[in-house]
Amino acid sequence: MVNIGIIGAGRIGQVHARSIVSGVPGARVAKVADPYIKEEVRQWMEGTGAKVVSDYHDILNDPQIDAVLICSSTDTHAPISIEAIKAGKHVFCEKPVDLSPAKIREVEKALAASPKKLCFQVGFNRRFDHNFEALRKATLAGKVGDVQFVRVSSRDPNPPAPQYVAVSGGIFLDMMIHDIDMVRYLSGAEIEEVYARGACLIDPEIGKAGDVDSATVSIKLSNGALALIDNSRRAAYGYDQRAEVFGSLGAVAITNDSESTAVLSTEAGVTAEKPLYFFLERYMASYQKEMRLFVDAVTNGTEVPVGLKDGLMSIRIGLACKKSLAENRPVRIDEI
Amino acid sequence: MVNIGIIGAGRIGQVHARSIVSGVPGARVAKVADPYIKEEVRQWMEGTGAKVVSDYHDILNDPQIDAVLICSSTDTHAPISIEAIKAGKHVFCEKPVDLSPAKIREVEKALAASPKKLCFQVGFNRRFDHNFEALRKATLAGKVGDVQFVRVSSRDPNPPAPQYVAVSGGIFLDMMIHDIDMVRYLSGAEIEEVYARGACLIDPEIGKAGDVDSATVSIKLSNGALALIDNSRRAAYGYDQRAEVFGSLGAVAITNDSESTAVLSTEAGVTAEKPLYFFLERYMASYQKEMRLFVDAVTNGTEVPVGLKDGLMSIRIGLACKKSLAENRPVRIDEI
Amino acid sequence: MVNIGIIGAGRIGQVHARSIVSGVPGARVAKVADPYIKEEVRQWMEGTGAKVVSDYHDILNDPQIDAVLICSSTDTHAPISIEAIKAGKHVFCEKPVDLSPAKIREVEKALAASPKKLCFQVGFNRRFDHNFEALRKATLAGKVGDVQFVRVSSRDPNPPAPQYVAVSGGIFLDMMIHDIDMVRYLSGAEIEEVYARGACLIDPEIGKAGDVDSATVSIKLSNGALALIDNSRRAAYGYDQRAEVFGSLGAVAITNDSESTAVLSTEAGVTAEKPLYFFLERYMASYQKEMRLFVDAVTNGTEVPVGLKDGLMSIRIGLACKKSLAENRPVRIDEI
Amino acid sequence: MVNIGIIGAGRIGQVHARSIVSGVPGARVAKVADPYIKEEVRQWMEGTGAKVVSDYHDILNDPQIDAVLICSSTDTHAPISIEAIKAGKHVFCEKPVDLSPAKIREVEKALAASPKKLCFQVGFNRRFDHNFEALRKATLAGKVGDVQFVRVSSRDPNPPAPQYVAVSGGIFLDMMIHDIDMVRYLSGAEIEEVYARGACLIDPEIGKAGDVDSATVSIKLSNGALALIDNSRRAAYGYDQRAEVFGSLGAVAITNDSESTAVLSTEAGVTAEKPLYFFLERYMASYQKEMRLFVDAVTNGTEVPVGLKDGLMSIRIGLACKKSLAENRPVRIDEI
């Protein structure tokens, strides 16, 4: 039985707690640390048998705890990761590990220096989504032959608040980082060079906060293939999550999930449902799956499915996109 | 070059004329007979090189004419067919050949008695539609294995005028006759017994005219398989033409054609286009194809793709449906 | 907190136990009774805090138990239901309550005679499936206007063993009973008369067991509308669950769920995934939802969403179908 | 009646001739000029009443001819256009008018200098395709609000011969030129800057001929919106022609046409048909429609739907893409 400590009981911390309670065999939430936990969350957590504490050091110092989930604010991810590694804990860290490659490399060093082999998994949950997994599986099985082109389209139902945008690292590090990871995951190749465009077409306040709300990136992959990503902070019809892998033998594409398959035909047209509302609805099952795989890795000493290197690469690529947009030129990842 | 005479220059006569002019190689419209032809139709016909006459005997007596298309009113189909056969002409007769099996059998006798081998084709155009042909082709190729079940759904965009209903023979002979022919065509088996239900749910005037506007038929086929047909005189979203063949290895199904593949996603939903408006829009290509095959048969002495027997069977089955509805019991086709 | 006792720890009993543990707030599995429970099931049950007993009377006699789920073999449903009612327990009874209307009426009498108002829910889980709920919701919201026609298609991936068929009550009571309930649920009307056809096209052993493996039913509804059901015990492509409601303003239709939205385009065609494998995969979420609604009803004294009358009607209609097939004639439900 | 002379009786010349004969009211093919016409083409042309000549000057000098279609090889388009304009003929010129903007500007000058107002239409037939028209219509009707993003995906079923590639102007001028025109047409805005990537992933001979066979272009539009184009010279599943317009109120997207709507469900999956084979199958109706609109413009003196400016812009943008790929930097169109 893997004893888990969750650091940070906000939205994503709660998602992981629920996942573990309802369907991660071999693991239990032993402790939860959050100085500002909401009362109803505390009650629910305690109802499942977890102990709720204020200070996360209570988790790191507890010899009963095998692994920690770092679900606190982004700026604390790297330092807490390092502390946890030093305390000999396996770590599941929410994305991004940090907005700075240098800090992620410090985590890498701490991990390499650990006398005990520790699992360190990064929360790129989309890799465990049924649709993206089906794409990957078909591609790995050779159904599309040699990959020549990858496309990822990702649009949110609503833009974030401008004050969030200001601290988020911007559209490339906050939103497109998932799509960047998907291009790597789906192509099985490394991103070598990016050319980014952006525009502020949805909310001028986002522009004032120094960011764009619409963006495209043109990518060159290490195997010679090409890729395109397009992002929008607001699609009127909801959360749009599509992707395509094209190769020498064909293409495989995924489209959106919705509440039901119902199609209504009337004088007005033939109408299907909109996509599931947002990432919690759309990707709920993937959060449970990534947690199961993390517990597997901890239990059996196997490789984690998304490691620190994946966390580092996506940040470097995101920063290359920012630089490309700022300088209006293609930027090689090794510049970062 | 096959010289064709068209008897009746109404809607369907014009459709055939246009088909021949624009894309039936090896045939030309030589004469058109209609005592009440509209002036603009006459001008167009003459512009294509056809001679327009009043009396259809001018066509039957013309030794240059090889084949006639009978596009006049239903009650004249059988007698003109017999006259045309006696005049040694190949015949393409619009459906139904007659509402009475006895009269169709007289045509059969005339055809058998002809010293010259004549082609006689019945206008079940739907057999030459790209969608229904794809169903048939997949089934014949063994893609679904042994046929176990056939379904045909057919709904019109708007009900006919009640005065038309009164002389049409009713929903089973006027509308469902195409679907009955499709069950035979798609299953490759004969219909042995039918059980029909009907209701007047759309227009009470249709009920006053002695007919129903909504109907279902449960069918037993000669190979043991089952079939279902459903009809409605009015679908708010337009002309609905779907079918499915299910067998031991799987199923093949067709759905509607529409103007374009455009799908609009907005806050209101994900909306595709409605089906093509009605039979002229939906089945236009099939009219040309049936005509090409008729000209082929005339030219090369090959079998016509839809013969008099098909015309007779569909009428007998339609009459069995009427009897079934009237008596609320299953009716075997050999009762008719 | 509703304390639940589960009688019968076979497949469906386990499904309900898991549903309650993972996501039915306000309820817990207190006891499970099964004389032949498998060891690993016992361990899992006990791990969740439930007590496992042999004799279901231990549940009925336990004053801590508020409600029982009857998941034992079909022939015991009615007698245990009566005992449970007499013991003052709320009852959730798996379908069918019994194969005989007379026995269901005895349960009705026991329920009416209970001094305490008890909830009695029947396990027609499909009513709580996201697709069927979307159909119902659209219909109730008036999106299709007055209902004129309902169709339900239901095909299993594989036929049951012939020895099961022999005791199952046959295709109409064992398989089509869900579809019959769906026609009532979706139309909002009662079934007045049925005409059934059947054939043995898949497994001759099913025929020897006195049943058919392919069936259609033509239905007349109390509001004048028509309905059709088609069933097959084996679809090569898997579990096929589709339905359509057609009315004066349009139609709403549902199709199958599958593992992902992935579509593979190659030289061989454009291929989507097959339907989810069978009822456990396809309807898992509906089992949890029906349980939540049962617990709601028990807790708040509200109406259960599927009552004994629904259980009785579906059996009477299933028996009418059997009679119709045996006598090859339409059978009114009030004959049964 | 508009008398048309066709210069060049190769594949596209024949397509236009057939379109006019079968369905362009108010026009007829009076003369066809081709020194190397195939015998069966000559016979068919003469059968429709056209006169076949060797030298296209026989057409330009014929006072009965109102309009010419220039369907000869690309390098002759501009000089023959100028001759035709000087001869006072209306001109329909196949795309591209020329690979050099300078030569297109000479045609512009000739047109401006003509004492008679002449129609000059360029053969961007895709604008008249039912799918692309539906996209444009929805966008113009404001269904997607302000356009923020446009995507065009275009893949051929098979690469051209390398010797063709060498004289074609390369993928951007030969293939992507249609997609470039589509971005302008669908967005209703001008392309300001492009960034192109290319790779040779399909046929190394294409690389040796100095071209790429896979390409993407990232576009900035004059209204601030973004666009992406992706091209491949070979899709194993056939001719892939998709596009999407995304805006403040939603998105509208089109996908491929195929031979039928038939979907086959078997143990192997749920399989629809591949796209229609190539541009002649896919776009046949659009060729007829562009010809009807040209004849309309000639007859009524109205604006042609695709003018010389559109021909010029697409070439300039294609050349900017070539330059961008060669120099690996974004290129503004006003550089060309």
Side-chain angles (χ1 to χ4, degrees), chain A residues 87-274:
Chain A
K89 308 302 186 198
H90 300 284
V91 176
F92 178 98
C93 181
E94 267 309 317
K95 51 117 284 213
V97 178
D98 200 276
L99 297 180
S100 138
K103 289 207 176 156
I104 301 177
R105 287 197 177 104
E106 285 174 32
V107 179
E108 253 179 351
K109 270 180 227 159
L111 197 59
S114 167
K116 180 178 163 192
K117 186 179 177 287
L118 293 173
C119 296
F120 192 101
Q121 184 170 330
V122 180
F124 281 121
N125 63 293
R126 224 170 271 182
R127 291 193 179 203
F128 312 107
D129 173 65
H130 62 137
N131 283 345
F132 285 99
E133 274 191 327
L135 267 191
R136 165 81 162 168
K137 205 173 141 187
T139 305
L140 279 185
K143 299 284 177 73
V144 301
D146 297 327
V147 174
Q148 297 174 347
F149 176 66
V150 175
R151 166 164 53 220
V152 180
S153 281
S154 184
R155 298 168 191 162
D156 284 352
N158 276 303
Q163 54 271 38
Y164 170 81
V165 166
V167 300
S168 70
I171 196 168
F172 298 108
L173 292 175
D174 175 53
M175 179 177 177
M176 197 186 279
I177 193 167
H178 279 294
D179 309 305
I180 288 167
D181 186 59
M182 275 302 112
V183 170
R184 294 179 66 238
Y185 176 67
L186 296 175
S187 67
E190 274 306 337
I191 291 176
E192 287 193 345
E193 191 186 74
V194 294
Y195 174 75
R197 287 190 190 276
C200 198
L201 305 168
I202 295 159
D203 183 352
E205 294 301 314
I206 289 176
K208 286 181 197 159
D211 200 8
V212 293
D213 52 30
S214 306
T216 64
V217 175
S218 162
I219 291 168
K220 189 183 165 193
L221 288 158
S222 57
N223 61 355
L226 306 177
L228 292 172
I229 298 174
D230 65 88
N231 271 191
S232 170
R233 286 288 198 179
R234 183 175 183 281
Y237 51 91
Y239 194 44
D240 193 354
Q241 299 283 292
R242 286 173 294 153
E244 181 185 25
V245 181
F246 173 80
S248 54
L249 297 179
V252 58
I254 55 171
T255 184
N256 295 302
D257 285 352
S258 55
E259 199 64 57
S260 83
T261 62
V263 172
L264 178 69
S265 299
T266 65
E267 222 180 322
V270 175
T271 303
E273 296 207 32
K274 291 189 290 183

Side-chain angles (χ1 to χ4, degrees), chain D residues 36-301:
Chain D
Y36 309 110
I37 194 167
K38 286 186 190 162
E39 191 47 35
E40 76 261 27
V41 177
R42 170 196 296 277
Q43 283 179 22
W44 182 83
M45 290 286 194
E46 290 177 348
T48 69
K51 193 175 173 198
V52 177
V53 298
S54 279
D55 184 346
Y56 69 87
H57 293 96
D58 273 7
I59 286 178
L60 299 187
N61 297 332
D62 182 343
Q64 305 292 337
I65 299 287
D66 303 297
V68 298
L69 314 188
I70 303 176
C71 306
S72 46
S73 63
T74 293
D75 55 313
T76 67
H77 287 181
I80 298 182
S81 287
I82 292 170
E83 283 187 85
I85 290 165
K86 288 185 175 161
K89 308 300 185 198
H90 300 284
V91 176
F92 177 98
C93 181
E94 266 309 316
K95 52 118 284 218
V97 178
D98 200 276
L99 298 180
S100 139
K103 289 210 176 151
I104 301 177
R105 287 196 179 105
E106 285 173 32
V107 178
E108 253 180 351
K109 269 180 226 158
L111 198 59
S114 166
K116 179 178 163 193
K117 186 178 177 291
L118 293 174
C119 296
F120 192 102
Q121 184 169 331
V122 180
F124 281 121
N125 63 292
R126 225 170 269 183
R127 292 193 179 203
F128 311 106
D129 173 65
H130 60 136
N131 284 344
F132 286 99
E133 273 191 327
L135 268 190
R136 165 83 162 167
K137 205 173 142 187
T139 304
L140 280 185
K143 298 284 177 74
V144 301
D146 297 327
V147 174
Q148 297 174 347
F149 176 66
V150 175
R151 166 164 52 222
V152 180
S153 280
S154 183
R155 298 168 191 163
D156 283 354
N158 275 302
Q163 54 271 37
Y164 170 81
V165 166
V167 300
S168 69
I171 196 168
F172 300 107
L173 292 176
D174 176 53
M175 180 177 174
M176 197 185 280
I177 193 168
H178 278 294
D179 309 306
I180 288 168
D181 186 59
M182 274 301 113
V183 169
R184 294 180 66 238
Y185 176 66
L186 296 175
S187 67
E190 274 307 338
I191 291 176
E192 287 194 343
E193 190 187 74
V194 293
Y195 174 75
R197 286 190 190 277
C200 198
L201 305 168
I202 295 158
D203 183 353
E205 294 301 315
I206 289 176
K208 286 181 197 158
D211 199 8
V212 293
D213 52 31
S214 306
T216 62
V217 174
S218 162
I219 291 167
K220 188 182 165 193
L221 289 158
S222 57
N223 61 354
L226 307 177
L228 292 172
I229 297 174
D230 66 89
N231 271 192
S232 170
R233 285 289 198 178
R234 183 177 182 280
Y237 50 91
Y239 194 44
D240 193 354
Q241 299 282 292
R242 287 173 293 152
E244 180 185 24
V245 181
F246 173 80
S248 54
L249 297 179
V252 59
I254 56 170
T255 184
N256 294 303
D257 285 350
S258 56
E259 199 64 57
S260 83
T261 63
V263 172
L264 178 69
S265 298
T266 67
E267 222 180 322
V270 175
T271 303
E273 297 205 33
K274 290 190 290 183
L276 289 175
Y277 178 61
F278 209 173
F279 67 98
L280 284 182
E281 292 78 12
R282 174 65 187 78
Y283 289 116
M284 191 49 84
S286 71
Y287 292 114
Q288 191 164 67
K289 187 149 190 207
E290 70 178 355
M291 207 43 65
R292 266 193 230 123
L293 290 166
F294 174 64
V295 168
D296 251 29
V298 167
T299 308
N300 305 314

Side-chain angles (χ1 to χ4, degrees), chain B residues 22 130-131 134-135 143-144 249-257 259-267 273, chain D residues 22 130-131 134-135 143-144 249-257 259-267 273:
Chain B
S22 71
H130 62 137
N131 284 344
L135 267 190
K143 299 281 178 74
V144 301
L249 297 180
V252 58
I254 55 170
T255 184
N256 295 303
D257 284 352
E259 199 65 56
S260 83
T261 63
V263 171
L264 178 69
S265 298
T266 66
E267 221 180 323
E273 296 207 33
Chain D
S22 72
H130 60 136
N131 284 344
L135 268 190
K143 298 284 177 74
V144 301
L249 297 179
V252 59
I254 56 170
T255 184
N256 294 303
D257 285 350
E259 199 64 57
S260 83
T261 63
V263 172
L264 178 69
S265 298
T266 67
E267 222 180 322
E273 297 205 33

Side-chain angles (χ1 to χ4, degrees), chain B residues 72-84:
Chain B
S72 47
S73 63
T74 294
D75 56 313
T76 67
H77 288 181
I80 298 182
S81 287
I82 293 172
E83 282 187 85

